[in-house]
Amino acid sequence: MSLELFSQYIFAGITYGIIYAIVAIGFNIIYNTTGIINFAQGEFVMLGGMTAISLNHFLPLPLAIISAVLFTMLMGGLIEIVFIRWLQKPSVLRLIIITIGISILSREAALHVWGDSVRALPYFTGNVVSSVDILGASISPQVLWVLAICYCLVIILSLFFKFTPLGREMQACAANRLAATLCGINAKNMVTFSFMLSAAIGAVAGCVVSPITSSQYDMGTGLAIKGFTVAVLGGLGNSMAAVAAGLLLGIIEAFSVGIGFPLAFQDAIAISILLIILFVRPHGLFGNKEAAGLKEF
Amino acid sequence: MDLKKITSIALLITLVVGIQLTTQLTGTSYYLTQLTMTMYSCLLIIGLCLVMGYAGQISLGHAGFFAIGGYTSAALTTTNLLEALERGSGCVGLLNKMGLLVSSTSLFGEPMLTVHPWLACLLAIALTVLVAFAIGIPVLKLKGHYLAMATLGFGIIIYRIVLAVAFLGEADGISDVPGFTLLPGLTVNGDIGNRITNYYIAATILIIGFVLLLNLIDSRVGRALRAIHGAEDAADAMGINTARYKLYTFVISAVFAAVAGILLTHYTGGISPGDAGVMKSVRYVAIVAIGGMASLWGALSMGGLLNFLSLRGFFGSYDDAFFGAILILIMLFAPQGILRLSLWNKFKGGKKEVQ
C-alpha cells in the first residue's frame, strides 16, 4: 500500500470516525444526565441535515445550517418534555421502547415530509470535484470542514462542561442527581437541556456531513448503531474517549474497504465490534472496571 | 391443565372454526390467506412474549431468527442439487440414497433435485438453535440498554447477510419456494384451493405452540422465570440458575420464530430481506408490549388483530408510523398493556391483582 493510498484511507477514516464520535457524544450527554440511551439519537442527525437542506432553498447556507440546528435543538427539548419529563421512575425497558418509538415516528414523519429521495447540502466551499492535496492524498475541502467543525465542537463542549455554570450544573447532575438537587439544581431542567444539547450537536454533524454522504430519511438507525458502538468502545459516558474510539472505528472501516472487504458487510464490522466489546469489555477500551461495576450493564 | 385453561382453549378453537365458517358463509374466504399469515406471525409473537414478558429480557433481533428459519428452508428447497449429484458429490449422493431429496421440474421445465422440505425444516431449526445458543450465551449476560443494542446488532447483521449473499438472492430474496407437505394430504402452500386446509394447519400449529407455552409458564420453569423477572438477584439467591433459564427461554423463542419463518416462507412461496429488517423486530416487540408483556393471551390477541389489520393494508402508508405511535402511547400511558388499563381492571371488578 503506497503512502498516498494510506493517507487517503486515513482521511476517509477520520472523516467518518469524527461523525461517529459526535453521535457518540450525543449518546453520552443524555446518558450522563439521565442514564437513558436515546435510541433516537441518529434521528437528530437526519433531522438536522434534512431541515438544513430544505431551508437552504431560501436561506443562505450558514443561516440555513444555524436555523436547522436551532430547530433540531427545539425538537430535542420538545421530545423530552412531551415523552420523558413527566414519567415517574420509568423502568429501563420502558424508556428503551419509548425512545425506539420516537425514532420510528421521527423517521416516518421525515418520510412523509421529505419523501424517500436522497438529498444533499451543497459543498461549503468548492464542489464535488475540487480537492486539496495533503500527503499525496486528494482530500475534498468538505472533509476539512467536517474535521474543523467537529474538533471545534468537541473542544467547545469540553470547555462548556468545565467552565460554564450550566455545564457544571449538568455535570453535577450526572455525578449525583440527588446531591445536585439538594444544591438547588433543577435536575429535570438539566435533563431537558441535555436532550437539547445532544440534538443540537447531532444536527451539526448531520449538516456538515450531508454534502459528502447525502441525507435520507432512514440514515439515522445506521448512524445510531455506530455511534453507540463508539460510545461503548470508549466507555459509556466518557466523551473524550468516544472521540478516540470514533476515529478508531472510522479508520478500521476505511481500511477494511481498502483491503477488499466487501462493502455490503461494512456495517457488520461495526456491529461485530459492538458485540465483541459488549461481551468482553462492557466498560469500554478506556473505561475503568471498578467505576463501571456501579453501572447497570 | 385446569378447567379454566381448557375452556379458554376450547373458546379459542371455537373462534378459529367460527371465523372460517363466517368467511365461508359470507363469501369472504380471501380473508383466510391473511389470517393464515397472521397466525404464523402470532407464533413468533407468543415466543417473543415468553422472553420479554416472562424472562424479562428484551430482544430486538427476533426478525433475525425468523429469517434464519425462513431463508435456510427456502434456500435448501430451491437449490438444484442435480449438478452436484452428477459431479459425484458424496454427500449429495448419500442424501439421495436415503431418500431425503425430491425431484421435480422447475417452472421452465428443467429437472430439479432439491432437499426434502422436512429435512430442510429440521436443518433450519437446528441452525437456529445453534445460533440462538451462540448469541444467547454472551448476550443474556447483558442487561437493559446493552441487551437491547446487542440484539438489535444481531438483527442488523442477519439483515446485512441476507442482503449481501448471492446464494440467498440478495435484495430479491428467494422466490418459488415449493410447498411443504407435512403429512400426505396436508401441504403448506399458497394454492387457492388449499386455503381452508392451510388455515387449519396454521391454527393447529399456533394452538399447539400456545398450549405448550401456557403449560410452560405454569410449570416450575415458569415460576422460576417470573422470579427472574421480578428480581434477578433474589432469584439467583434462591438457587434458581438464572443464566440457564434465560438462555433456554431465549432458545425456545428463537425456535418459535424460526418455525414461523419456515412455515410462512413455504406458505407465501418466498422470503425477502424485508422480513429480516429491524422494523419487523421492533414491530414484534410493539405487539408484545401492547398485549401487556407478561400476557400470552394479550400477545396472541393483539398479534392477531394488529397483524391482520396491517396485512389488509388498513394503515396504508402509515403502517410503520402506526406501530411507532402505538408503541409510545402504550409505554407512556399503559405500560402494563392495553388489556390492563385501569379502566379495564375496574370493569373486571379489580378481582385479580396481577403483578
Side-chain angles (χ1 to χ4, degrees), chain A residues 203-220:
Chain A
V204 172
C207 291
V208 293
V209 82
S210 171
I212 305 177
T213 61
S214 304
S215 308
Q216 208 183 351
Y217 77 100
D218 61 353
M219 69 189 285

Side-chain angles (χ1 to χ4, degrees), chain B residues 97-180:
Chain B
K97 282 206 189 86
M98 289 163 73
L100 291 172
L101 301 181
V102 276
S103 349
S104 56
T105 45
S106 73
L107 283 177
F108 311 106
E110 289 166 32
M112 296 267 287
L113 187 68
T114 51
V115 176
H116 192 280
W118 262 117
L119 178 64
C121 170
L122 292 179
L123 285 175
I125 292 175
L127 182 65
T128 309
V129 170
L130 214 65
V131 173
F133 267 112
I135 288 291
I137 290 170
V139 158
L140 292 172
K141 286 191 187 129
L142 306 168
K143 282 188 193 125
H145 299 114
Y146 291 79
L147 181 66
M149 272 292 180
T151 51
L152 183 66
F154 161 72
I156 294 180
I157 287 188
I158 298 291
Y159 175 68
R160 287 287 160 195
I161 290 175
V162 299
L163 199 58
V165 175
F167 177 61
L168 299 176
E170 293 177 344
D172 296 330
I174 298 177
S175 53
D176 300 327
V177 179
F180 182 178

Side-chain angles (χ1 to χ4, degrees), chain B residues 7 10 43 45 59 85 92 167 209 303 319:
Chain B
T7 20
L43 193 61
I45 288 164
S59 168
L85 185 69
V92 175
F167 177 61
D319 205 33

Side-chain angles (χ1 to χ4, degrees), chain A residues 27 35-37 39 83 86-87 92-94 96-98 100-102 104-105 107-108 112 224-225 228 232 236 264-265 267-268 271-272 274-275 278-279 282 296-297, chain B residues 52 58 60 138-139 141-146 148-150 152-154 156-157 160-161 164-165 279 282 285 289 293 317-318 320-321 324-325 327-328 331-333 335:
Chain A
F27 274 118
I36 302 174
I37 292 295
F39 279 70
F83 296 116
W86 54 275
L87 293 178
V92 171
L93 190 64
R94 206 169 152 200
I96 292 173
I97 296 179
I98 288 174
I100 290 173
I102 294 169
I104 295 170
L105 275 191
R107 198 160 58 226
E108 290 298 307
H112 282 277
I225 280 276
F228 184 78
V232 173
L236 206 53
F265 290 118
D267 281 357
I271 298 164
S272 311
L274 171 66
L275 292 181
L278 282 179
F279 300 156
E296 278 272 296
F297 285 115
Chain B
M52 283 182 60
I58 191 169
L60 287 170
V139 158
K141 286 191 187 129
L142 306 168
K143 282 188 193 125
H145 299 114
Y146 291 79
M149 272 292 180
L152 183 66
F154 161 72
I156 294 180
I157 287 188
R160 287 287 160 195
I161 290 175
V165 175
M279 198 46 225
V282 172
V285 170
M293 299 284 188
S317 63
Y318 292 96
D320 286 346
L327 199 56
I328 296 184
M331 279 297 121
L332 287 181
F333 301 111

Side-chain angles (χ1 to χ4, degrees), chain B residues 50-73:
Chain B
L50 182 72
V51 169
M52 283 182 60
Y54 293 92
Q57 313 295 310
I58 191 169
S59 168
L60 287 170
H62 256 56
F65 290 118
F66 178 92
I68 291 177
Y71 265 101
T72 313
S73 186

Side-chain angles (χ1 to χ4, degrees), chain B residues 6-29:
Chain B
I6 292 171
T7 20
S8 322
I9 297 294
L11 277 174
L12 188 65
I13 295 171
T14 323
L15 183 70
V16 166
V17 178
I19 288 174
Q20 192 266 318
L21 291 178
T22 318
T23 57
Q24 187 88 6
L25 288 175
T26 54
T28 50
S29 48

